[in-house]
Amino acid sequence: MADVLFCTDDFAARHGDRLRAIAPDLQLVTLDGDDEVGEADLARITLAFFSHDAWPERAANYFGVVLRADNLRWLHTMSAGVDSPIFTTFTDRGVRLTTSSGSSAAPIARTAMMYLLALSRDLPSMLRAQDRAEWNWHKWSELGGRSIAVVGWGPIGQEVARLAGAFDMVPTIVRRRALGDEPHPVRPLSELADIARTHDAVVVALPLTPDTEGIITADVLDAIGPTGYFVNVGRGELVDQPALTAALIEGRLGGAGIDVTTPEPLPADDPLWAAPNLIITPHNSGSTDGTGGRADEAFLANLERWVAGADLANEVAP
């Protein structure tokens, strides 16, 4: 019996020819705008791709459909992280889950370097001075020769280290254990506070798991110190956010760039907004005009594997 793929109308329009070439018998059920999907079509769905064009406006509608697709066998998501409880719902019922890990690594890593460049040049205060029409001349700090701890060695961490090296920074990889093939020195996560104390910048690109939740403690932030920089492009729950706020306001941390907070969106009255030498972006460091295309390609490559009966790439263990 032929598989039936649930996808957005936009994805089907972009890649209909590719889908037919990969799987000539594949049938489609599409999310057309915000229209409902009928019960008969729900029962037919066996495959699903959550593409970038559904995020964020149509995400609720999309998942409202796949949660009711009782015959779903495989879900591929455009994201790399699958820490949201909704994904556990699928793996718990035996649906195979794959990700687009790596598709957003380049823009996220470049955002991390943007933070470091901006902080080293005191960009937040310069923008405030510009708003006041003040000519606030001062010297900048250089990144070259500075040490950087890259916490997490997935595609994002690897790209951060590569770019940091291009800026003549000196990377240290921080992961659970060394495998022996890393291009830079490796230290274990268990030594994070000591690592922070001996590095000029700490960039966190970890997934959120029970073991990593709250791993950036007040002690780690204090260890980075008043001349160091902290960057988080992982998840807000990795960090003791009140401690981050206090460290910035009290001058115990040199500066921070964060793409993630707890909760999201960050409430307008949260004191973190007023912290000095802080750059906040709204969890969009990987949302560029090229990311969705790379996620599409990751799904299409996995669809070829599915049709061939081969192992799927980036499959999440149940």
Side-chain angles (χ1 to χ4, degrees):
M1 194 170 177
D3 277 311
V4 177
L5 172 68
F6 176 59
C7 61
T8 66
D9 47 0
D10 294 327
F11 176 78
R14 289 195 303 273
H15 296 296
D17 291 342
R18 293 275 301 280
L19 291 169
R20 286 185 287 272
I22 294 169
D25 296 330
L26 183 70
Q27 299 173 32
L28 300 183
V29 171
T30 58
L31 181 67
D32 297 321
D34 288 330
D35 293 348
E36 291 188 8
V37 174
E39 294 295 327
D41 279 336
L42 281 174
R44 298 171 55 226
I45 295 169
T46 57
L47 315 177
F49 173 41
F50 178 51
S51 53
H52 212 277
D53 54 79
W55 176 262
E57 291 85 0
R58 293 201 285 170
N61 289 34
Y62 181 92
F63 281 105
V65 173
V66 288
L67 285 169
R68 293 181 291 130
D70 292 336
N71 293 311
L72 184 67
R73 298 165 58 202
W74 168 39
L75 168 65
H76 185 97
T77 175
M78 55 83 181
S79 61
V82 287
D83 48 273
S84 170
I86 197 166
F87 291 112
T88 305
T89 302
F90 294 105
T91 54
D92 283 350
R93 68 186 231 204
V95 176
R96 297 177 71 177
L97 175 64
T98 54
T99 75
S100 300
S101 177
S103 64
S104 59
I108 292 175
R110 289 164 188 167
T111 301
M113 295 307 300
M114 176 191 75
Y115 296 143
L116 292 175
L117 284 167
L119 292 169
S120 68
R121 284 152 173 74
D122 199 15
L123 184 62
S125 71
M126 285 198 296
L127 290 175
R128 289 192 294 270
Q130 181 177 331
D131 287 340
R132 297 188 299 265
E134 293 178 358
W135 191 264
N136 186 17
W137 188 96
H138 61 276
K139 288 184 179 179
W140 292 342
S141 299
E142 295 190 5
L143 294 180
R146 302 290 183 92
S147 56
I148 177 172
V150 181
V151 186
W153 196 238
I156 297 170
Q158 292 171 32
E159 182 65 5
V160 168
R162 188 187 73 81
L163 292 176
F167 281 91
D168 294 325
M169 299 187 77
V170 183
T172 296
I173 299 165
V174 185
R175 62 187 313 187
R176 297 188 196 286
R177 59 183 179 86
L179 298 183
D181 59 352
E182 296 90 350
H184 306 289
V186 180
R187 293 185 63 181
L189 270 172
S190 58
E191 298 178 0
L192 189 52
D194 184 59
I195 295 166
R197 191 172 293 109
T198 56
H199 286 74
D200 299 302
V202 174
V203 176
V204 177
L206 285 170
L208 178 63
T209 69
D211 292 337
T212 61
E213 185 173 2
I215 196 169
I216 306 300
T217 63
D219 288 344
V220 171
L221 294 166
D222 282 342
I224 297 172
T227 61
Y229 304 132
F230 171 70
V231 168
N232 185 14
V233 289
R235 289 291 186 268
E237 293 86 350
L238 299 170
V239 181
D240 181 338
Q241 191 163 289
L244 173 62
T245 303
L248 286 165
I249 290 174
E250 296 168 13
R252 291 181 284 108
L253 178 63
I258 57 173
D259 189 48
V260 287
T261 62
T262 307
E264 292 181 3
L266 188 66
D269 60 353
D270 192 291
L272 185 61
W273 285 112
N277 215 18
L278 171 68
I279 301 169
I280 299 178
T281 50
H283 203 156
N284 66 341
S285 61
S287 298
T288 69
D289 54 6
T291 301
R294 289 188 291 272
D296 288 357
E297 292 300 323
F299 167 70
L300 292 167
N302 249 354
L303 182 61
E304 290 183 351
R305 297 183 184 97
W306 177 270
V307 171
D311 291 340
L312 298 178
N314 296 319
E315 183 162 7
V316 178

